[in-house]
Amino acid sequence: MTTGSGGGATTGSGGASTSTSTSASSGGVTTASGGDPNPDPANARTFDHRHASLDGIPASCAEALKSGDFVFHYAHRSHGFQIIVGAESIEAKTPTYAFAKEYCDVPQQEGAFLMWDGMIGTDLIPGEQYWATEAGINDVRTILGGHPEIRYSMWAWSSEISEQTEEDVQRYLDVLDALGQEFPEVTFIYMTGPGDEEHNGVNRAERNQQIRDFCRDHGKILYDFEDLDVHADGERHTTTVGDVEIPMQHPRYDVETSGNTEYEYTHTTQGACENKAMAFWRMMAELEGCAQ
């Protein structure tokens, strides 16, 4: 079923957070108590289906984003690759939006948006290699400490979001919060997970809402991947699991829908990937202060 074009879903009681005092690493990141002691909700910004357009990005802004003044660090698995292949598809159609990624390194291309793709030795990054283990957190430290040109860092959920507990997601939130304090010159961008899982779909929707609630309450930057999955043509698509209505990937982007073709092994269509990339470009334009 589809409903109107509202924002993020609220399902069940998944927005509540729990705290733990478990140390995330010996280097100072501590969950729950190690983040910003004075969060300002006024700083919260969410980028979602409302931003899936290149309108409002003047040519001068696109050029500024391609100046090479900063690098974007991005770790992901297959779902997260949608942003990258979408950006490459947009570049092929509109060279103004030149985009360069490099495997586990800083791209050397000039005149393009620069993205470090992956971590230190791979570009297929589960949570354990970024936020969920001491080793992963220390790899983030190594990359950021050795590359001051990195101004942003983001990690993308894949289908594992459906299997996470409330405590798991709280750890993700707390670790990023604490890393943001450790690296104040780097903006950590939070993400919701994809909206295409019906198995454990109620838990998936609750965990994504937990992330939204935290970002809203703590003044964080959120790229709302699930929201982009479930919106098309002004409609927000939902399904019912048990007796709970949850957001669900729109049939326009579902490769199981007749006539749809999977694009570059991303679990979705070319149009969905381009939407993700347009929202990414618009997010960067607004964060860099050059959008109209």
Side-chain angles (χ1 to χ4, degrees):
M1 64 180 294
T2 58
T3 60
S5 57
T10 302
T11 59
S13 58
S17 63
T18 60
S19 62
T20 171
S21 58
T22 302
S23 174
S25 84
S26 60
V29 172
T30 303
T31 61
S33 60
D36 188 348
N38 298 299
D40 185 355
N43 293 328
R45 302 182 72 178
T46 295
F47 297 90
D48 54 25
H49 74 280
R50 297 167 298 178
H51 301 87
S53 171
L54 300 177
D55 294 344
I57 305 178
S60 59
C61 182
E63 292 306 310
L65 296 175
K66 299 183 299 179
S67 66
D69 287 346
F70 69 91
V71 174
F72 192 103
H73 171 236
Y74 183 39
H76 61 90
R77 294 200 296 130
S78 53
H79 281 85
F81 198 52
Q82 292 175 25
I83 291 174
I84 291 175
V85 299
E88 292 171 338
S89 179
I90 289 171
E91 178 186 16
K93 299 175 182 178
T94 311
T96 297
Y97 294 95
F99 174 85
K101 69 177 180 69
E102 184 61 42
Y103 177 85
C104 303
D105 207 346
V106 174
Q108 299 304 306
Q109 183 175 332
E110 295 183 356
F113 184 95
L114 303 180
M115 176 179 283
W116 176 308
D117 179 19
M119 290 295 287
I120 294 175
T122 180
D123 62 353
L124 294 174
I125 310 300
E128 289 78 7
Q129 294 179 5
Y130 187 102
W131 61 268
T133 66
E134 179 179 341
I137 295 166
N138 283 333
D139 282 349
V140 174
R141 288 192 175 105
T142 296
I143 291 170
L144 300 183
H147 296 276
E149 65 271 39
I150 293 176
R151 191 179 297 170
Y152 299 90
S153 185
M154 181 169 75
W155 176 82
W157 298 94
S158 198
S159 56
E160 74 271 21
I161 187 68
S162 298
E163 305 292 338
Q164 303 300 297
T165 66
E166 186 174 347
E167 290 74 19
D168 293 333
V169 169
Q170 192 61 47
R171 178 179 173 86
Y172 157 76
L173 298 167
D174 290 335
V175 168
L176 262 64
D177 187 22
L179 283 170
Q181 302 310 303
E182 186 175 345
F183 294 93
E185 300 304 317
V186 178
T187 297
F188 286 84
I189 299 174
Y190 297 64
M191 292 183 74
T192 56
D196 60 352
E197 282 285 322
E198 186 166 336
H199 175 65
N200 287 339
V202 173
N203 185 61
R204 179 259 297 171
E206 290 179 347
R207 300 289 68 78
N208 282 331
Q209 190 60 38
Q210 181 183 352
I211 295 169
R212 290 188 191 98
D213 291 344
F214 180 91
C215 291
R216 180 197 63 220
D217 294 342
H218 291 78
K220 303 303 182 182
I221 308 301
L222 175 66
Y223 180 95
D224 199 338
F225 198 100
E226 183 187 68
D227 182 83
L228 283 153
D229 269 348
V230 306
H231 279 89
D233 299 327
E235 293 181 330
R236 176 177 175 270
H237 187 67
T238 67
T239 192
T240 300
V241 177
D243 59 352
V244 180
E245 185 179 22
I246 62 170
M248 193 71 193
Q249 178 175 259
H250 198 282
R252 168 169 285 200
Y253 310 134
D254 188 347
V255 295
E256 299 301 321
T257 298
S258 177
N260 282 0
T261 302
E262 185 172 2
Y263 186 64
E264 300 287 345
Y265 306 101
T266 61
H267 313 295
T268 193
T269 65
Q270 183 175 3
C273 293
E274 290 181 358
N275 274 353
K276 303 288 187 355
M278 286 189 289
F280 180 85
W281 272 104
R282 182 57 189 259
M283 175 176 72
M284 296 314 304
E286 293 200 14
L287 293 180
E288 285 295 304
C290 61
Q292 290 180 339

